[in-house]
Amino acid sequence: MGEDWQTQAKAKREAIDSSIPEKWRLNSPIPSAEQQRDVTGEFVCQYLSKQEIEITETDAVGIVQKTTSGQWKATEVAEAFCHRAALAHQLTNCLHETFFDAALEDAKQLDAYYAEHKRPIGPLHGLPVSLKDQFHVKGVETTMGYVGWIGTFQGQKGTGREKVFESEMVRELRNLGAVLYCKTSVPHTLMSGETVNNIIGYTWNPKNRHLSSGGSSGGEGALIGLKGSPVGFGTDIGGSIRIPAAFNGLYGIRPSSGRLPYEGMANSMDGQNSVLSVVGPLAQSVGSLRLVIKSLLSQQPWLHDPQVHEIPWRDEQEQQVQDIIRSSGKGQLAFGILKHDGIVTPQPPVQRAVEMVVKTIEKLGHKVIEWQPPSHRRGNDICLTTWFYDGGANVHEAFRLSGEPISEQVANAYGTKPTDEFTASRIAANNLAKREYQKEYMDYWNSTEKLTGTGRPVDAFIAPLAPFPAARPKMYSYYGYSTFVNLLDYTSCVIPVTTVDQKVDVIDQDFKPASEQDQKVWETYDPSIYDGAHVAVQLIGRRLQEEKILVMAEHIGDGIGK
């Protein structure tokens, strides 16, 4: 018998910490959440030079304007973000792997290329990009939060792939000139809206350290929220890009399946194809999301990932929306507004954020209608069923490798041991129910043409992403506002709206819960605990409408002042 799981986890945790250069370590004690709730902005900037602040406060679009024109060297940009990422980890526990030396070496090579050829190597020349710990990157491990995956390739030893295999998107990002420098924390299994595992512990929200950074791309959310990365990639099977984006005041897009390459990435329940996990970016601006998606599509990922559709970036799709926006009052967009899904009531800050977006849309001259779709309860039941086809066998096998305990957040869904697997007939029945639900939702969407006054059905609809601004630890009990989008495979982009104000976002004393579940979520709201937290909504479009959704998200975000 080898080392016990505690010893393995401790060694890995210490290896992550010791990978941070001595000069970037915070030697004085980090203040508690009670003493310093918000560690973004001025707090983290006290540890950075003026130049490092200038670089790291610039979004991805601004960075590549400088690096592709030779105004900034790739090495100085990489070093600034490596430093800020190191600080972010010490403040929030957001990293699983750092490879700062390799990143600086890659950046040197980019600078040498630019010096010789007087041009960039690609559109992402010198842009640091962070990656969720599902991506395989040479030289480092992929644990995905499992102690049993330490020193292996996805739990297996002696495969010949350990620390040498790279995921398809990693190859494409390198071709485009991106600098890869860290991999971010995830909850073991990936199946939680909070990021917690037995290696790094809990990943905290940097804006309000009483709260979660979200999950399962919670490390990305915390890192980018602290501006330790200008843009990073997460994945989403039930909200895992959008939840961290919303909780950390970021833009984040869940593309439809088959738009961006997932080939060669680690995953849970791989082979469950009813509701596919998708990969997509999170960033401080819509322009940053557009930049990396457009760049990746220029690599023709459909030639390297059999699941990717042959759909290059479509400028004409963007133009259609821009033409309506710029038509000086002659044209309007139309948006559906979902204020309540009929199951769980959004908490006061989320209700206020939705109202702010409604007012913004109307101020911009567009139309809003109430969104009254087919039952979200039924849709969410179908979606949740897909995650239990194998009775939890896949995730419990990963825990068995080391004997580590399953976190309470994950055990709430998967228990402590596997249950019976579904028969092929039951899986087929659920797939049929999914297809019928998708058709019913499509028909409802089409029917809104009679209500919009634009001659078209609604262009997109607005909904909460979660019933709360961010989750309190061990209190994420309802995922229905995010999971229905995965079942429908719609494109969805998070738009940051505001922050919680405990004087404004007071508890509604007249609240009457519709159910025990509704009451449970409502009781987690405490204005004093939530004060200062980010609040966001999601903008949802039809399948494979990434170009259109990004234009609309930017338009609304600009209108809000975000």
Side-chain angles (χ1 to χ4, degrees):
M1 186 72 181
E3 294 178 313
D4 61 32
W5 72 264
Q6 292 100 326
T7 304
Q8 289 179 284
K10 183 172 182 282
K12 181 66 178 177
R13 182 165 58 253
E14 289 174 350
I16 298 166
D17 292 341
S18 63
S19 74
I20 294 172
E22 188 74 44
K23 62 183 177 181
W24 292 344
R25 293 182 197 169
L26 299 176
N27 295 317
S28 54
I30 295 166
S32 67
E34 287 72 26
Q35 294 169 312
Q36 184 69 43
R37 177 177 297 210
D38 181 357
V39 293
T40 64
E42 288 182 8
F43 184 85
V44 70
C45 285
Q46 69 181 301
Y47 304 108
L48 299 163
S49 70
K50 189 176 177 184
Q51 185 191 32
E52 287 174 324
I53 293 169
E54 182 190 2
I55 289 170
T56 55
E57 300 273 323
T58 304
D59 80 345
V61 176
I63 290 168
V64 298
Q65 285 171 350
K66 299 277 193 180
T67 54
T68 59
S69 61
Q71 293 176 69
W72 284 353
K73 283 189 161 46
T75 44
E76 62 188 359
V77 174
E79 183 145 12
F81 277 102
C82 288
H83 185 189
R84 195 152 176 164
L87 295 172
H89 177 65
Q90 293 171 84
L91 295 169
T92 63
N93 299 331
C94 61
L95 301 182
H96 277 184
E97 302 286 342
T98 71
F99 33 106
F100 299 153
D101 289 344
L104 290 168
E105 187 55 43
D106 289 344
K108 276 183 196 169
Q109 292 179 18
L110 290 170
D111 287 338
Y113 181 93
Y114 194 95
E116 182 181 350
H117 300 282
K118 301 295 183 284
R119 59 182 170 82
I121 205 164
L124 303 184
H125 182 100
L127 178 68
V129 175
S130 52
L131 301 170
K132 184 178 187 177
D133 192 25
Q134 288 178 258
F135 288 87
H136 291 295
V137 178
K138 67 184 178 186
V140 292
E141 293 182 328
T142 303
T143 67
M144 219 167 73
Y146 288 125
V147 176
W149 281 25
I150 295 170
T152 73
F153 183 82
Q154 297 179 187
Q156 295 182 304
K157 293 184 177 178
T159 67
R161 292 178 150 198
E162 293 89 337
K163 293 189 178 183
V164 292
F165 178 78
E166 293 203 315
S167 305
E168 170 57 26
M169 190 184 284
V170 171
R171 184 189 70 81
E172 294 176 14
L173 287 167
R174 291 192 192 281
N175 284 352
L176 293 160
V179 175
L180 310 177
Y181 63 115
C182 63
K183 294 205 294 174
T184 53
S185 58
V186 301
H188 50 206
T189 74
L190 308 176
M191 304 304 288
S192 174
E194 299 172 62
T195 293
V196 59
N197 63 59
N198 293 314
I199 298 171
I200 55 98
Y202 197 90
T203 303
W204 295 99
N205 189 314
K207 184 70 174 169
N208 182 331
R209 290 189 299 152
H210 294 298
L211 305 173
S212 170
S213 67
S216 60
S217 313
E220 284 299 318
L223 179 67
I224 302 168
L226 268 166
K227 298 187 178 176
S229 167
V231 62
F233 282 89
T235 63
D236 194 313
I237 195 173
S240 291
I241 291 168
R242 292 164 291 147
I243 292 165
F247 289 8
N248 292 281
L250 306 172
Y251 289 93
I253 186 167
R254 179 224 179 264
S256 292
S257 60
R259 196 75 208 265
L260 293 176
Y262 210 113
E263 176 66 26
M265 289 171 62
N267 204 359
S268 281
M269 302 175 291
D270 207 3
Q272 179 281 108
N273 286 350
S274 297
V275 176
L276 289 171
S277 178
V278 300
V279 59
L282 302 82
Q284 298 277 352
S285 67
V286 172
S288 302
L289 306 182
R290 183 184 291 114
L291 170 69
V292 291
I293 294 174
K294 195 171 182 177
S295 298
L296 283 166
L297 292 178
S298 75
Q299 295 290 292
Q300 299 181 296
W302 48 87
L303 297 179
H304 307 282
D305 181 341
Q307 299 285 342
V308 175
H309 305 300
E310 188 173 347
I311 307 175
W313 182 264
R314 298 164 295 184
D315 292 314
E316 67 279 7
Q317 297 269 341
E318 283 187 295
Q319 197 61 47
Q320 283 175 17
V321 181
Q322 287 167 345
D323 287 347
I324 295 170
I325 291 170
R326 293 170 183 160
S327 60
S328 304
K330 294 174 186 171
Q332 283 182 308
L333 294 169
F335 296 93
I337 306 294
L338 180 77
K339 294 183 179 180
H340 193 303
D341 68 354
I343 307 164
V344 168
T345 306
Q347 293 176 353
V350 179
Q351 293 181 25
R352 180 167 64 87
V354 172
E355 289 301 333
M356 286 175 67
V357 172
V358 170
K359 287 176 182 170
T360 298
I361 290 169
E362 291 175 336
K363 179 185 74 180
L364 291 168
H366 305 301
K367 187 88 180 279
V368 297
I369 67 165
E370 187 181 351
W371 192 249
Q372 298 179 304
S375 164
H376 276 202
R377 186 184 298 278
R378 181 158 50 91
N380 285 320
D381 286 347
I382 296 166
C383 185
L384 291 173
T385 298
T386 67
W387 299 342
F388 297 94
Y389 284 169
D390 74 345
N394 173 262
V395 300
H396 286 292
E397 171 57 23
F399 287 113
R400 190 194 62 76
L401 291 172
S402 68
E404 66 177 311
I406 186 168
S407 68
E408 184 179 321
Q409 289 89 336
V410 174
N412 284 338
Y414 285 96
T416 55
K417 59 184 180 181
T419 56
D420 292 341
E421 298 196 24
F422 279 37
T423 62
S425 298
R426 281 184 74 194
I427 293 171
N430 200 55
N431 285 336
L432 179 60
K434 172 198 160 191
R435 194 172 74 225
E436 289 172 345
Y437 185 79
Q438 287 176 309
K439 171 61 173 162
E440 192 178 335
Y441 217 99
M442 178 185 282
D443 289 344
Y444 167 71
W445 193 312
N446 292 339
S447 75
T448 62
E449 182 179 355
K450 301 190 292 285
L451 305 172
T452 60
T454 64
R456 306 182 307 277
V458 298
D459 296 287
F461 68 98
I462 296 285
L465 184 277
F468 26 66
R472 293 171 64 183
K474 299 183 180 179
M475 294 187 190
Y476 206 138
S477 61
Y478 182 68
Y479 290 91
Y481 281 104
S482 57
T483 52
F484 79 94
V485 174
N486 299 82
L487 182 74
L488 295 164
D489 197 23
Y490 284 165
T491 305
S492 174
C493 185
V494 164
I495 303 173
V497 180
T498 186
T499 54
V500 177
D501 183 336
Q502 62 180 332
K503 294 175 183 172
V504 176
D505 300 312
V506 296
I507 294 171
D508 179 2
Q509 301 299 337
D510 297 324
F511 172 71
K512 293 182 174 56
S515 65
E516 278 187 37
Q517 190 173 31
D518 197 11
Q519 179 71 29
K520 185 177 180 182
V521 171
W522 190 260
E523 286 174 352
T524 67
Y525 181 62
D526 180 329
S528 63
I529 290 174
Y530 271 97
D531 193 45
H534 289 294
V535 197
V537 300
Q538 60 180 330
L539 175 71
I540 302 159
R542 300 195 199 229
R543 287 184 67 233
L544 300 165
Q545 291 200 336
E546 290 74 25
E547 293 90 343
K548 289 182 177 180
I549 285 298
L550 288 176
V551 174
M552 288 186 268
E554 193 165 43
H555 182 52
I556 294 169
D558 288 348
I560 296 165
K562 284 281 182 180

